[in-house]
């Protein structure tokens, strides 16, 4: 194995480890959300998680997306994202209406259901990247950050088409797309990696205090400035400051990610299953009345550990074998239909 192949393999290992750690934080963050209004410790943990987990998840998506952005592979990925979106948007909405009976949810294919915004965003990030890939990297980044700030000024509900989150998190997709593992290695030498890890733990302790003046909505990225109650011309500066916080918190969290291969690396290959399926568990927990029995940090800690255990469970190969047709549906038939339609039109 030559040096270039070795770096590629090590880079894949690192980012798979990161991807698994991030899906753990996604699951934990969603499970503890009903507790953040009455437990300071859960509030601090929640704000810490939201300060980095979506930016880094988008970055990882961009990093792995560079391999199949264009040509037939890129079109196939877009078709699969679209089919996944239709399947899970239908499933989650149907269960909400028939069983979970959750209020204040837009049940429309044009308003991605909660966590499914990421599928809609992923498709749009790919299309945006295709549109600007011939630009210089600085120009791409300037456009991405300007669009992320500018979308906040729109006078609309940011949930439609996931337009707000798509543009707010697009800069991290661009960064991930261009990120090289050699850069990570240079940045996180032994001392720097330890310092970054220590900073991440410090942020966990500090964000709980700062969160009093920071609305979670700024970290969600799903709301325009009007929805955040900040319809002023200078609100773009707030978003720029939030970008600064997210970048610092993300860089700090990377210090906690191991470089070596382990079981975590293998679990990281199946995070899509955790992502698309864990929402059913979160909804079931809320509908069951579970949270009415959680009144102590000990009980909340058990909930966090349970989320970790269920993340590992959903990342098992057996889950993939069983649910592969649902989570990763074949789009070969769609490609054949496209080709047949093209032949008929010639």
């Amino acid at each position: 194995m030559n040096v270039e192949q070795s770096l590629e393999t090590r880079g894949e290992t690192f980012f798979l480890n990161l991807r698994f750690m991030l899906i753990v934080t996604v699951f934990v963050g969603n499970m503890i959300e009903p507790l953040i209004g009455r437990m300071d410790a859960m509030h601090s943990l929640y704000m810490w998680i939201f300060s980095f987990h979506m930016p880094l998840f988008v970055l990882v998506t961009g990093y792995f997306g560079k391999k199949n952005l264009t040509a037939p592979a890129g079109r196939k990925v877009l078709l699969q994202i679209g089919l996944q979106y239709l399947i899970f948007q239908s499933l989650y909405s149907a269960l909400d209406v028939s069983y979970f009976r959750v209020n204040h949810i837009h049940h429309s294919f044009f308003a991605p259901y909660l966590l499914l915004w990421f599928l809609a965003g992923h498709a749009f990030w790919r299309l945006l990247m295709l549109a600007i890939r011939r630009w210089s990297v600085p120009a791409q980044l300037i456009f991405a950050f300007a669009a992320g700030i500018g979308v906040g000024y729109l006078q609309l509900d940011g949930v439609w088409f996931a337009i707000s989150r798509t543009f707010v998190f697009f800069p991290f997709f661009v960064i991930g797309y261009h990120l090289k593992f050699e850069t990570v290695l240079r940045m996180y030498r032994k001392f720097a990696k330890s310092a970054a890890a220590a900073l991440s733990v410090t942020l966990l302790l500090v964000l709980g205090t700062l969160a009093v003046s920071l609305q979670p909505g700024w970290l969600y990225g799903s709301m325009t400035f009007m929805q955040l109650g900040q319809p002023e011309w200078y609100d773009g500066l707030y978003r720029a400051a939030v970008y600064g916080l997210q970048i610092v918190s993300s860089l700090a969290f990377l210090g906690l990610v191991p470089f070596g291969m382990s079981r975590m690396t293998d679990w990281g290959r199946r995070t899509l299953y955790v992502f698309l399926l864990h929402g059913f568990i979160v909804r079931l927990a809320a509908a069951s009345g579970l949270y009415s029995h959680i009144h102590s940090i000990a009980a909340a800690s058990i909930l966090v550990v349970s989320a970790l255990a269920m993340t590992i469970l959903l990342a098992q190969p057996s889950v993939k074998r069983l649910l592969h047709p649902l989570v990763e549906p074949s789009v070969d038939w769609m490609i054949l239909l496209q080709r047949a339609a093209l032949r008929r039109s010639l």
Side-chain angles (χ1 to χ4, degrees), residues 274-286:
V274 185
F275 183 74
L276 289 178
L277 298 172
H278 86 280
F280 296 115
I281 298 173
V282 172
R283 276 287 186 244
L284 185 60

Side-chain angles (χ1 to χ4, degrees), residues 30-308:
N30 289 333
M31 285 295 281
I32 68 173
E33 185 173 4
L35 303 175
I36 63 175
R38 51 193 171 95
M39 289 189 181
D40 290 343
M42 293 299 103
H43 186 243
S44 297
L45 178 61
Y46 184 82
M47 295 298 289
W48 175 71
I49 286 172
F50 271 83
S51 70
F52 65 79
H53 81 316
M54 277 299 106
L56 281 179
F57 227 129
V58 177
L59 182 147
V60 170
T61 303
Y63 179 84
F64 285 112
K66 71 182 72 174
K67 296 180 180 180
N68 55 15
L69 184 71
T70 59
R75 290 194 293 273
K76 187 172 183 178
V77 170
L78 282 173
L79 286 173
Q80 190 167 65
I81 292 171
L83 190 52
Q84 288 166 336
Y85 179 79
L86 290 174
I87 291 171
F88 282 90
Q89 182 80 356
S90 300
L91 282 175
Y92 275 109
S93 295
L95 283 172
D96 253 11
V97 172
S98 64
Y99 182 71
F100 297 131
R101 302 187 183 279
V102 180
N103 298 320
H104 312 300
I105 297 289
H106 295 293
H107 294 294
S108 167
F109 284 108
F110 302 108
Y113 182 92
L114 300 179
L115 58 88
L116 297 182
W117 76 266
F118 196 89
L119 289 179
H122 188 187
F124 284 123
W125 295 325
R126 284 176 163 270
L127 293 172
L128 286 167
M129 199 68 222
L130 284 170
I132 67 172
R133 73 184 190 281
R134 298 189 186 279
W135 299 3
S136 67
V137 176
Q140 291 176 12
L141 288 171
I142 290 171
F143 167 76
F145 278 109
I149 293 172
V151 73
Y153 290 100
L154 296 180
Q155 301 294 302
L156 49 76
D157 188 335
V159 72
W160 296 106
F161 298 101
I163 187 171
S164 182
R165 278 173 162 163
T166 293
F167 284 103
V168 167
F169 292 111
F170 183 51
F172 299 101
F173 187 87
V174 176
I175 293 170
Y177 183 84
H178 293 290
L179 183 62
K180 295 184 181 348
F181 182 61
E182 302 94 290
T183 304
V184 176
L185 283 176
R186 285 196 298 270
M187 289 176 63
Y188 293 94
R189 298 184 187 279
K190 189 171 183 179
F191 173 76
K193 196 171 189 302
S194 299
L199 176 58
S200 187
V201 174
T202 302
L203 284 171
L204 170 60
L205 301 175
V206 170
L207 277 174
T209 304
L210 295 180
V212 175
S213 57
L214 177 63
Q215 293 182 50
W218 284 100
L219 299 176
Y220 298 157
S222 59
M223 293 181 278
T224 61
F225 299 146
M226 175 184 66
Q227 291 174 289
L228 288 165
Q230 300 274 353
E232 305 292 342
W233 67 267
Y234 52 78
D235 291 327
L237 297 176
Y238 285 108
R239 177 145 289 159
V242 171
Y243 273 141
L245 170 63
Q246 290 172 325
I247 289 170
V248 170
S249 188
S250 297
L251 289 172
F253 184 78
L254 288 177
L256 298 170
V257 182
F259 284 113
M261 188 176 293
S262 65
R263 288 185 181 180
M264 184 193 305
T265 312
D266 183 53
W267 296 333
R269 299 181 190 279
R270 292 179 292 276
T271 54
L272 178 63
Y273 288 78
V274 185
F275 183 74
L276 289 178
L277 298 172
H278 86 280
F280 296 115
I281 298 173
V282 172
R283 276 287 186 244
L284 185 60
S288 69
L290 170 69
Y291 294 98
S292 63
H293 302 289
I294 300 177
H295 303 290
S296 66
I297 292 299
S301 299
I302 292 173
L303 185 68
V304 170
V305 173
S306 298
L308 170 59

